[in-house]
Amino acid sequence: MKSAFAVVALIAALAWTAPSTAMDRVDPGELPTLRADEGLVLVAIDSSIPLEAVHVRKDGGSMFGGGILRRLPAGRTLRLYVAPAGRYEWNRVSTYFGYYRFGNDAEYDFEVKPGRISYAGDLVFRPTGFFSATVLVANRGLGALDWLQAEHAQLLAAHPFEYVGQYPDPFPAFHRERLAAAGAKQPPYPELAKPPEAKALALDPADLWGPERVSLFELNPAGTLLAMQLREDDKESWTIDIIDLASGEAHRVARSGFAFHSLHWSGDDILLVALGGNFQQAINVIAAGRHEGRLRFTRYELPVTGRVLDVIPAQPGHILFGSYEARGNFMVNRIDVSTEESAKAFRAKTSDRLNKGAKDDRWWFADGQGRLRAAIISRDEESVLVHGSPGATTDVMSLRGDGGFSPEALSFDGSTLYGRSDEGRAQRDLVAFDIASKRITATLFSKAGVDVDSVIYDHHRTPIGVRYYRDGRLVSDYFGQQDRRLGDLLERAFPGKTVAVVRRSHDGGQLVLYVDSADTPGRLYHLDVAQRRASLLENLMPRLEGKSFAPPHVVNATGKDGLAIEASLPLPAGNSKRPLVVYAHGGPIGVSDRLHFDADVQFLASLGYAVLRVNFRGSEGYGKAFRDAGHGAFGTAIEEDIDAALGRALADHPLDASRMCTVGGSYGGYSALISAIRWPQRFRCAVSIAGVTELPLLLTANDSARSAEGRDQLEKIIGDRLQGKSIGFGA
């Protein structure tokens, strides 16, 4: 995947390029004779807007296609050409307002092979702004075959079809062989049993899978006002309410037909409400004040669109604002939003930007005084974290997605990065990274075999605790004695539940709590610490109020190699043996099933099914060795972990082994299919929800395979099976 930035060329982009004879378009019905050094190439362009032209170069030489691939409509365009064999590259997309160069990027190279129909994948073009676009290559080989069969059936019959992207794709050949073997008689579909008669359900799916009532909430620093985004029932309407926590009175300050993007408090009285996406957000300012003891609100809007980068703790009423100027350069400006006059007077001027001298910057981090101290820049298709002042930065690290140190927060003084790391460690720990020396200088939290899930910060941006999962439940582990006593009090107040402090006032006296469990939908509470009183703010799923749900049981098993495996088993009420659904999670690496409320699980339980969910090897939360054990375990050790947990569950709980089904989504769908293949007599059914069915296609037709980094990760996770060494099609 590539984010391209346009070069505006009002003359060059619209200039006519004389058609080249290097490529000849083949119309339907034509049967060209190929020379020994020629092949057929299927060109597919998928664009959400009309394109002036798509340009291709051969072997770094002259460009062709300026006159051939011109004036393409929005949508998918497929064309067939005769072309000299050799290496080619997608070079440029010209729109009607500029053009997008790809540069020297191997992701956009392909080969035309002699005597064959070469297909390099669809070139997908999606503008993300006036001067930016996302461009990627997607393998849609079966759709390409269907088009060839409809438009060029004789040529398709006479020439082999080959995907010539970054990896070989054996599926089209397999598909053609099966169609040829079937001939005119397509394989008949098996007769399916009639579905059961419809009946009333214990839980209405619309209630279970409906949107949560609360999606955004922020507490002001003093802990006196809580802003919340609420969704009105059965309406495409969202509101912002500000709750006076002392009186409990709610004030509606905004309404929209679209969901708001974010909420920020700048001091105790200024709320910033963002509406829109990316950096095209409209920022509304809600200023709170009191008149004769009652809350009153003034509303005004910033005159430009952009995004709130940060509030400035040391300067309430001031924010850092990010936007893009006309030429596509990123700007960071400081805005005084404390009054309507100062906010409306703001203009996003290049001359006033704080990040002068910076190049290719995409985001900035500030210290507590609002000074820009660190940035993320784009360099050679890579994101790099740099530190210093704009125009005078030094590289800190390349930001990877495969472990190592993951920065999360900048300290108040801007000298330290806090984050999680498993590099050279047995699990993901909380660490402090000294920017000046470019090394980890302190381990703030480490627990054997436990991955830190998230970090708890105080108002000074200092870590005061961590969260991690234990026996499937999220627990908060605080560093200070006073916070630790509070955590113990909360666990006693909500036994068997997840209790997380999700917002806190600067003095720690006012807290917003999130509480849920596997059999209790989420709720938000306000806790006044001094008064030791918690009051309900909102039930996130009020439609389910009064409903009963299946409680979970923890299942502990041991894999074939001695690895400890943890699973959960919600059991519906009843005295007889329950039928069982084995429900594998997706991923499979870095994902886990937890004891939070899950609509899928509770729906199945409401029908009388017990549901076994297994955190097999590769799952998140159990340390690096446990995650790494899932690499190369597709269809083998992972399914054996599920088998071990299933055996333990059948031995310890009232389950009917003669009535079992295996279900899953994504990797879980693959697991369901491969489990039915490995143990065909065990399950009455297997259900794959958007599951992987052909492993080799993961490297050619999967979103993650559209970059070299993504393919490297897939090879690491799945292993050599994708090279076709140990798995065939139609297994």
Side-chain angles (χ1 to χ4, degrees), residues 456-469:
I456 307 169
Y457 296 93
D458 67 7
H459 73 283
H460 212 254
R461 303 182 180 182
T462 301
I464 60 172
V466 297
R467 299 188 186 97
Y468 55 83
Y469 283 90

Side-chain angles (χ1 to χ4, degrees), residues 6 148 192 205 234 281 319 361 435 443 466 518 538 547 566 637:
L148 285 168
L192 302 177
D234 303 322
Q281 295 173 9
I319 65 170
D361 50 329
I435 297 175
T443 298
V466 297
E538 284 289 347
K547 303 288 186 181
E566 187 179 83

Side-chain angles (χ1 to χ4, degrees), residues 261-262 264 273-284 301-302 304-308 321:
H261 181 274
S262 61
H264 300 270
V273 180
L275 182 64
N278 296 323
F279 279 85
Q280 300 296 318
Q281 295 173 9
I283 310 298
N284 287 273
E301 186 174 341
L302 295 187
V304 296
T305 60
R307 188 165 181 175
V308 177
F321 185 75

Side-chain angles (χ1 to χ4, degrees), residues 686-720:
V687 180
S688 173
I689 305 168
V692 176
T693 54
E694 303 293 354
L695 285 182
L697 293 182
L698 281 180
L699 274 183
T700 66
N702 179 269
D703 289 347
S704 300
R706 290 170 180 165
S707 69
E709 181 184 12
R711 291 190 294 273
D712 288 344
Q713 283 299 301
L714 285 172
E715 286 186 1
K716 178 181 176 181
I717 291 170
I718 303 168
D720 288 339

Side-chain angles (χ1 to χ4, degrees), residues 1-5 102 105-108 122-126 128 133-138 140 166 378 380-383 702-711:
M1 183 179 295
K2 183 182 185 75
S3 291
F5 286 84
F102 301 156
D105 191 336
E107 294 298 311
Y108 300 93
D122 284 31
L123 185 72
V124 181
F125 181 82
R126 295 289 185 270
T128 55
T134 295
V135 187
L136 55 87
V137 177
R140 299 170 180 169
Q166 298 293 332
S378 295
D380 299 328
E381 297 301 308
E382 186 177 52
S383 293
N702 179 269
D703 289 347
S704 300
R706 290 170 180 165
S707 69
E709 181 184 12
R711 291 190 294 273

Side-chain angles (χ1 to χ4, degrees), residues 53-361:
V54 175
H55 308 270
V56 182
R57 289 184 187 272
K58 180 180 186 298
D59 294 329
S62 61
M63 189 184 303
F64 67 81
I68 299 174
L69 297 170
R70 288 183 62 87
R71 297 186 176 90
L72 304 179
R76 192 175 186 222
T77 301
L78 296 96
R79 294 177 184 174
L80 188 66
Y81 298 91
V82 174
R87 298 293 302 176
Y88 292 82
E89 64 177 24
W90 300 106
N91 179 261
R92 193 172 80 180
V93 172
S94 296
T95 70
Y96 288 96
F97 53 83
Y99 60 82
Y100 298 74
R101 288 191 183 277
F102 301 156
N104 186 20
D105 191 336
E107 294 298 311
Y108 300 93
D109 294 352
F110 61 94
E111 183 179 2
V112 175
K113 296 188 176 182
R116 293 175 173 266
I117 302 175
S118 299
Y119 165 65
D122 284 31
L123 185 72
V124 181
F125 181 82
R126 295 289 185 270
T128 55
F130 195 78
F131 295 99
S132 62
T134 295
V135 187
L136 55 87
V137 177
N139 177 16
R140 299 170 180 169
L142 289 185
L145 279 174
D146 289 342
W147 181 83
L148 285 168
Q149 183 64 43
E151 302 291 332
H152 301 278
Q154 288 181 275
L155 289 175
L156 180 60
H159 299 281
F161 173 89
E162 184 173 347
Y163 172 68
V164 291
Q166 298 293 332
Y167 283 85
D169 179 2
F171 193 79
F174 165 79
H175 181 68
R176 294 184 69 184
E177 290 171 5
R178 296 299 293 265
L179 289 178
K185 293 183 178 180
Q186 296 298 316
Y189 288 104
E191 290 190 15
L192 302 177
K194 290 184 178 180
E197 294 293 329
K199 61 179 182 180
L201 297 172
L203 292 174
D204 188 336
D207 291 340
L208 264 178
W209 284 284
E212 291 186 341
R213 175 166 166 76
V214 181
S215 51
L216 294 173
F217 50 90
E218 288 295 338
L219 184 66
N220 72 346
T224 56
L225 300 177
L226 176 67
M228 306 177 72
Q229 173 174 262
L230 305 176
R231 178 163 178 161
E232 297 186 338
D233 290 341
D234 303 322
K235 295 180 181 178
E236 290 293 318
S237 180
W238 287 261
T239 65
I240 301 295
D241 285 7
I242 294 181
I243 302 170
D244 184 343
L245 292 178
S247 66
E249 187 177 5
H251 303 265
R252 184 145 296 174
V253 296
R255 181 188 296 274
S256 172
F258 299 92
F260 294 91
H261 181 274
S262 61
L263 302 172
H264 300 270
W265 284 102
S266 178
D268 293 327
D269 303 319
I270 300 293
L271 176 69
L272 299 131
V273 180
L275 182 64
N278 296 323
F279 279 85
Q280 300 296 318
Q281 295 173 9
I283 310 298
N284 287 273
V285 183
I286 312 294
R290 291 191 179 272
H291 179 70
E292 297 181 353
R294 295 185 61 83
L295 272 174
R296 294 289 186 266
F297 300 94
T298 303
R299 175 176 172 173
Y300 43 96
E301 186 174 341
L302 295 187
V304 296
T305 60
R307 188 165 181 175
V308 177
L309 292 186
D310 203 354
V311 296
I312 304 175
Q315 199 172 4
H318 291 73
I319 65 170
L320 296 178
F321 185 75
S323 61
Y324 282 95
E325 52 102 49
R327 289 172 293 181
N329 295 318
F330 186 52
M331 294 190 297
V332 180
N333 295 88
R334 182 190 292 253
I335 309 178
D336 180 355
V337 295
S338 60
T339 68
E340 183 172 3
E341 292 74 21
S342 62
K344 289 190 172 181
F346 169 71
R347 297 294 182 269
K349 297 178 181 178
T350 304
S351 58
D352 294 336
R353 67 178 181 150
L354 303 179
N355 57 331
K356 289 179 182 177
K359 182 181 179 183
D360 296 325
D361 50 329

Side-chain angles (χ1 to χ4, degrees), residues 408-462:
E408 294 191 354
L410 185 67
S411 64
F412 197 88
D413 65 5
S415 66
T416 303
L417 279 169
Y418 299 114
R420 297 176 296 157
S421 179
D422 62 4
E423 192 164 7
R425 298 165 181 265
Q427 59 280 318
R428 190 170 289 120
D429 299 333
L430 171 62
V431 299
F433 182 93
D434 179 70
I435 297 175
S437 62
K438 299 183 183 180
R439 63 187 182 90
I440 292 172
T441 54
T443 298
L444 305 181
F445 181 88
S446 179
K447 190 177 182 70
V450 172
D451 295 318
V452 172
D453 181 76
S454 58
V455 185
I456 307 169
Y457 296 93
D458 67 7
H459 73 283
H460 212 254
R461 303 182 180 182
T462 301

Side-chain angles (χ1 to χ4, degrees), residues 369-386:
Q369 303 293 335
R371 296 172 298 198
L372 301 185
R373 301 296 299 272
I376 295 174
I377 67 170
S378 295
R379 183 189 299 150
D380 299 328
E381 297 301 308
E382 186 177 52
S383 293
V384 179
L385 181 70
V386 300

